[in-house]
Amino acid sequence: MSVSVEEPTYATYLKLVTSAFLACVTLIFVRRRWFSSISDIPGPFLGSFSVLWQIRHAIKGHTEEETIAEHRRHGDFVRIGYNEVSIGHPDAINEVLKSQMNKGDWYRIFSLPDSRYVNQMSEVDAKRHITKTKNIAPGYAFSNVIKAEPYVDGALRLFEKRLDSLSEAHLPVNFDEWFNFLGFDIMGEVTFSKQFGFLDQGRDIGGAIANTRMLGIYVAIMGHFWWAHDYLLANPLIGYLNLQPTMHIFDTALAAVDRRSKNDQVRKDMIEQWMDMRKKHPERMEEKEILAAAVANIGAGADTVSATLQALFYNLLRNEETLTQLREEIDGANLAEVPTHEETQQLPFLQACIKETLRVHTPVAFGLPRVAPKGGVTVLGRHFDEGVILSVNPWVIHQRPDIFGNDADVFSPARWMDPIRAREMEKSFTAFGAGYNQCPGRHLAHMELCKTTAMLVRDYDIKQVNKGKSWRFESHFTAVPYDWPCYVTRRCNQ
Ligand code: HEM
């Protein structure tokens, strides 16, 4: 008697593979949700087993608001990813950001134009990062930045000329574009003595600035899948085929660095400082680090300044008394045609307005991730195992009523005018980050903010085209507003 054995069919194989896949997914889900070393930390459901909560809000564009809301709901620790805890207490500035923990792998996404160019932003290893920082520090030193002041003045004069033309033609000024034009052109001047031409041409050449918004979304999402970056935007083929979304910016930087190697009649700009450093220490600085650092600068230094200037003027338009007080201080100071950096340091209310803007609309609106080292780490009395990602979002700290007052969500520069209170709040002020990753461009940023604000407040009346209409902004890594066109007119007494 013969027994017939049925041949497994394609459908049976498919069922088997599907069941195995579902079993694996269930196992991963159960393990992450209930058996991870951070399973006891509360947070959004999606964050308990995946990075979907972070991706969802990176796409929606308000990670900062959602992270604040989660901290108000759950306290200082919130599990925002299967392996990531957001810490909302100011002590995390010392215990996490100022420690020597490596940065999260998420930062690797910042290797641009492609993965060969690891810059200080994308270098995640703390030791290598510190060497890179030492190599480029002379370029950012205040003593070097201040030498660029006459060139910043040149950009500001051109900026006002463009505002005058728009004003005469009764055309609205989109400050999201114009502050970006200014920010990029100043970065070009200071980094490699060449503007990008945005102010000169008065337009977004090659759509480079509009595309930085797309780049922001790409960075926020793909940072979680940085290993795929090499096959996507950082693929050298993309650069070769000119498909980078911000090609005008990279091309201008590349050409300026290349020209430099053939020309020794140059200013002591940042590139020159870095080239000098490489001559002195060729063993610790590769040539491609110079271009990488220039690109990091341009990526980090333009839209952050634009966001701050926009937030400052947007808030001044909504706070007439504050604007009047600031204007009285500025008008009474008899400033130079382009106010000097030194003059602006003597204006306490201007300084308070800038500080308050950086607090209430902090340009970097994303958790800054660090990785618990070998043996784990204790933060705020709680132990975290090796490899757990600990992130600190400056917005969460800056909106704490226990530090900044019950009106912490309101723009109120006066809070910085009491020196004792200001000293206390300063300890929790983290707009420029902290520790070995602290923003190296902060001196330049501060100079740009002081000079531009003093000059514009003195020279122009600004009115929103639609009075009182709210702006829009989405925060991916940076929170850059848009959609609040204004009319500008020269003030009568000028
Ligand atoms: C208002 C303006 C600015 C703000 C609020 C700001 C804020 C920040 C913050 C918070 C970080 C640290 C991120 C982290 O811990 O991962 C950072 C890093 C950085 N910033 Fe700025 N920045 C500003 C302007 C600038 C300017 C003008 C430049 C260039 C001259 C610049 C260059 C950089 C670079 C190169 C890094 C990477 C540093 C590192 O990882 O070591 N930034 N910035």
Side-chain angles (χ1 to χ4, degrees):
M1 198 175 88
S2 69
V3 178
S4 75
V5 179
E6 261 185 50
E7 285 282 309
T9 60
Y10 174 74
T12 324
Y13 279 129
L14 196 67
K15 255 191 208 160
L16 269 173
V17 171
T18 312
S19 312
F21 175 74
L22 288 177
C24 281
V25 170
T26 312
L27 262 176
I28 293 173
F29 171 78
V30 169
R31 190 168 174 278
R32 286 181 174 177
R33 183 151 167 73
W34 286 287
F35 297 97
S36 142
S37 66
I38 52 172
S39 289
D40 60 311
I41 294 180
F45 173 70
L46 287 177
S48 66
F49 63 92
S50 66
V51 290
L52 289 174
W53 183 85
Q54 285 152 291
I55 291 178
R56 180 169 174 232
H57 292 298
I59 294 170
K60 284 176 86 181
H62 283 288
T63 303
E64 82 298 347
E65 270 175 17
E66 297 296 331
T67 316
I68 292 169
E70 291 295 339
H71 276 286
R72 292 202 171 138
R73 217 168 284 143
H74 299 295
D76 290 333
F77 294 129
V78 175
R79 188 184 189 191
I80 55 169
Y82 71 93
N83 191 33
E84 181 162 344
V85 175
S86 167
I87 309 186
H89 193 279
D91 285 357
I93 296 173
N94 281 331
E95 296 185 30
V96 176
L97 296 182
K98 288 192 185 168
S99 75
Q100 303 263 304
M101 287 184 224
N102 287 347
K103 298 207 287 189
D105 280 334
W106 181 85
Y107 283 96
R108 292 178 192 265
I109 203 78
F110 283 108
S111 287
L112 291 166
D114 61 54
S115 58
R116 290 167 298 172
Y117 298 93
V118 178
N119 55 53
Q120 63 276 40
M121 197 72 159
S122 62
E123 177 59 78
V124 295
D125 179 87
K127 273 203 193 118
R128 282 200 300 268
H129 189 291
I130 290 165
T131 307
K132 275 202 168 67
T133 304
K134 265 193 219 151
N135 289 342
I136 56 174
Y140 295 105
F142 181 71
S143 52
N144 188 48
V145 164
I146 197 72
K147 287 186 199 140
E149 188 168 12
Y151 305 99
V152 174
D153 290 359
L156 279 168
R157 277 192 199 99
L158 186 53
F159 181 69
E160 284 214 341
K161 215 167 141 187
R162 296 290 174 253
L163 289 191
D164 289 340
S165 306
L166 288 165
S167 169
E168 277 156 27
H170 199 61
L171 286 171
V173 177
N174 290 310
F175 279 112
D176 58 317
E177 280 182 359
W178 282 93
F179 282 145
N180 252 318
F181 294 168
L182 178 70
F184 272 105
D185 277 346
I186 289 181
M187 281 316 310
E189 275 289 4
V190 176
T191 311
F192 40 64
S193 308
K194 174 152 179 44
Q195 296 190 8
F196 289 97
F198 292 120
L199 286 176
D200 186 45
Q201 296 197 21
R203 66 183 182 96
D204 182 5
I205 306 164
I209 291 174
N211 287 336
T212 52
R213 250 179 234 151
M214 293 310 293
L215 195 62
I217 301 177
Y218 172 85
V219 160
I221 297 171
M222 289 310 295
H224 296 287
F225 311 103
W226 57 271
W227 36 266
H229 185 42
D230 271 4
Y231 307 102
L232 300 170
L233 206 61
N235 181 340
L237 197 63
I238 298 263
Y240 181 72
L241 295 175
N242 240 7
L243 297 175
Q244 287 270 14
T246 44
M247 216 55 219
H248 171 63
I249 290 173
F250 294 139
D251 279 351
T252 311
L254 275 164
V257 175
D258 187 48
R259 252 196 320 273
R260 180 59 52 88
S261 52
K262 296 166 195 143
N263 176 12
D264 49 10
Q265 299 294 305
V266 285
R267 273 181 8 220
K268 202 96 188 134
D269 54 21
M270 284 190 181
I271 291 271
E272 200 55 20
Q273 292 280 1
W274 299 334
M275 285 186 162
D276 277 359
M277 182 58 92
R278 186 170 136 69
K279 270 183 214 144
K280 272 189 229 149
H281 298 286
E283 76 293 350
R284 70 172 206 214
M285 192 175 186
E286 289 181 67
E287 194 171 351
K288 66 182 179 194
E289 268 185 70
I290 296 176
L291 177 67
V295 167
N297 244 12
I298 292 149
D303 64 352
T304 41
V305 170
S306 164
T308 315
L309 285 170
Q310 287 194 67
L312 213 169
F313 282 94
Y314 181 82
N315 279 300
L316 287 178
L317 292 186
R318 277 157 181 70
N319 290 273
E320 253 175 60
E321 267 179 40
T322 309
L323 175 59
T324 308
Q325 188 177 345
L326 179 61
R327 199 164 253 167
E328 274 170 16
E329 182 181 76
I330 289 171
D331 286 349
N334 198 18
L335 303 173
E337 179 226 345
V338 179
T340 67
H341 179 69
E342 202 184 336
E343 284 171 339
T344 60
Q345 301 316 289
Q346 314 308 319
L347 306 176
F349 196 62
L350 171 70
Q351 296 306 323
C353 287
I354 290 172
K355 193 99 196 181
E356 180 66 350
T357 306
L358 286 165
R359 182 195 70 80
V360 88
H361 186 87
T362 311
V364 173
F366 208 77
L368 308 173
R370 307 290 182 259
V371 185
K374 212 163 182 237
V377 67
T378 298
V379 177
L380 302 176
R382 146 112 203 191
H383 178 82
F384 292 97
D385 283 358
E386 172 180 348
V388 171
I389 298 169
L390 303 171
S391 58
V392 183
N393 188 322
W395 276 69
V396 175
I397 312 265
H398 287 169
Q399 296 283 324
R400 282 185 70 120
D402 55 336
I403 298 160
F404 295 99
N406 288 333
D407 62 346
D409 56 341
V410 172
F411 175 78
S412 170
R415 79 179 85 239
W416 296 95
M417 295 302 280
D418 167 1
I420 299 171
R421 186 174 178 210
R423 218 171 301 132
E424 267 316 297
M425 294 188 296
E426 186 72 45
K427 292 180 195 158
S428 304
F429 179 77
T430 181
F432 290 106
Y436 72 88
N437 293 293
Q438 192 181 31
C439 175
R442 59 195 181 283
H443 302 304
L444 175 63
H446 191 238
M447 177 162 99
E448 289 179 59
L449 295 174
C450 293
K451 289 167 72 83
T452 311
T453 310
M455 192 166 169
L456 294 191
V457 167
R458 181 194 59 190
D459 294 348
Y460 294 96
D461 279 320
I462 299 176
K463 267 198 267 163
Q464 250 185 280
V465 171
N466 302 304
K467 193 169 181 248
K469 185 180 169 244
S470 297
W471 64 8
R472 293 173 59 194
F473 77 88
E474 281 92 40
S475 53
H476 301 296
F477 186 61
T478 43
V480 187
Y482 59 97
D483 199 13
W484 62 291
C486 294
Y487 290 118
V488 301
T489 36
R490 274 267 172 196
R491 283 176 70 210
C492 309
N493 58 341
Q494 297 303 304

